[in-house]
Amino acid sequence: MMSKDQALIAVDAMGGDGGPRVVIAALALALSTDPDLRFRVYGDEALVRAQMDLFPELAPACTICPAPDVISGEEKPSLALRRARKSSMGMAISAVKTGEADAALSAGNTGALMAIAKLYLRMMRGIDRPALTTILPTLGKNGVVMLDLGANTECDMRNLVQFAVMGAVYAQSAMGIPCPRLSLLNIGTEEMKGTEDLRAAAALLRQTEQTAFQYTGFIESDRIGQGDADVIVTDGFSGNIALKTIEGTARFITNLLRRAFSSSLRSKLGFLLSKPAFRLFRVYLDPNNHNGAIFLGLNGIVVKSHGNANVSGIAQAVHLTAKLVRSNLVNCIADDLDMFFSQASNKELQA
């Protein structure tokens, strides 16, 4: 019998750039700091077993589940759905549906993962669309939950309000913030700015009495990393552009500093003196230290790792997945949705 602290995670071992070599090493690393973890590992049995033989400590915590097929990184979601039943990705998600696992984790094709997860797990009652959600680093005391990051290119007022409730619960579960500060991403902070749906969502969030979060108004994209909000809600089109801009800017700054400090002997000496500070800078910007995104709104937990994540990055995603399982994320979202909708006066939202 599993203890209340154990978390059983279904893992797609074939996803990501490194495949079983990186995924299995990451499971061993995660288990070393969290011995209550348990895994069902889906993939090519020979490849998975060869890697697991390198980490004998994994044997008591892992069950190898042979999967004859693999969803490639370039595969269209429509084709992936037809091959889901025998793929490592599809079988991992199916384990959540059948109750064989508490959550699923994959570093594979994002579009295929969302399509299969939505088909197998279905949407929660009161949620129209899933939202791709992650935690970004900030200059504040904690990171910021941001959604949607690409699952939905167009969102109406109802979608944005649903994302707000889900994002607030996620901030509570993943970061331990009792009443997170929540903002809507916009082109200005004034109430008259933005689309009609944005303004309607803002009006509803202001007028509805609730304790799950504190709505603080609109926020502009240049404030995302300042720590002014704990949750930022937007549509997937704007959210994905913002995310890629943040990631590109981080790489630009890193490469610019590397070029500057190698430009002359004096610059190289300056780098040696500043090396401890730049080591901290690199750790702060390394996406592996913030790895793990989730499709909120499904009847189950499915976490997406970066495809190019290294061992520590995937281990970070494992720890995030376990934290969400132990916090009972899905049921908490359902409870807060019921409470919010019961208080909302907008008939369109309650439809």
Side-chain angles (χ1 to χ4, degrees), residues 19-42:
R21 177 182 58 83
V22 174
V23 171
I24 300 304
L27 300 186
L29 178 60
L31 186 67
S32 68
T33 57
D34 188 348
D36 286 324
L37 291 172
R38 297 294 180 267
F39 306 105
R40 291 177 65 87
V41 183
Y42 294 84

Side-chain angles (χ1 to χ4, degrees), residues 13-16 18-26 43-44 47-49 51-52:
M14 310 306 292
R21 177 182 58 83
V22 174
V23 171
I24 300 304
D44 183 297
L47 294 178
V48 171
R49 195 171 296 281
Q51 294 301 317
M52 283 192 60

Side-chain angles (χ1 to χ4, degrees), residues 100-118:
E100 296 174 282
D102 300 316
L105 171 65
S106 175
N109 184 318
T110 303
L113 186 68
M114 185 182 73
I116 296 171
K118 189 174 179 180

Side-chain angles (χ1 to χ4, degrees), residues 5-19:
D5 292 325
Q6 284 185 339
L8 178 54
I9 303 172
V11 180
D12 170 17
M14 310 306 292
D17 298 345

Side-chain angles (χ1 to χ4, degrees), residues 190-213:
E190 300 87 350
E191 292 185 10
M192 74 288 296
K193 290 288 183 71
T195 64
E196 182 179 346
D197 284 312
L198 261 177
R199 296 195 303 272
L204 184 60
L205 293 173
R206 279 195 302 268
Q207 75 181 36
T208 304
E209 294 182 5
Q210 43 72 40
T211 57
F213 58 86

Side-chain angles (χ1 to χ4, degrees), residues 145-211:
V145 171
M146 191 163 175
L147 68 165
D148 177 27
L149 295 176
N152 310 280
T153 55
E154 295 183 2
C155 296
D156 58 20
M157 177 271 290
R158 179 182 172 91
N159 300 140
L160 293 172
V161 172
Q162 291 169 358
F163 294 171
V165 177
M166 293 193 297
V169 177
Y170 184 69
Q172 294 167 357
S173 298
M175 298 192 296
I177 304 173
C179 187
R181 299 163 299 162
L182 184 142
S183 297
L184 295 174
L185 187 65
N186 202 347
I187 59 173
T189 58
E190 300 87 350
E191 292 185 10
M192 74 288 296
K193 290 288 183 71
T195 64
E196 182 179 346
D197 284 312
L198 261 177
R199 296 195 303 272
L204 184 60
L205 293 173
R206 279 195 302 268
Q207 75 181 36
T208 304
E209 294 182 5
Q210 43 72 40
T211 57

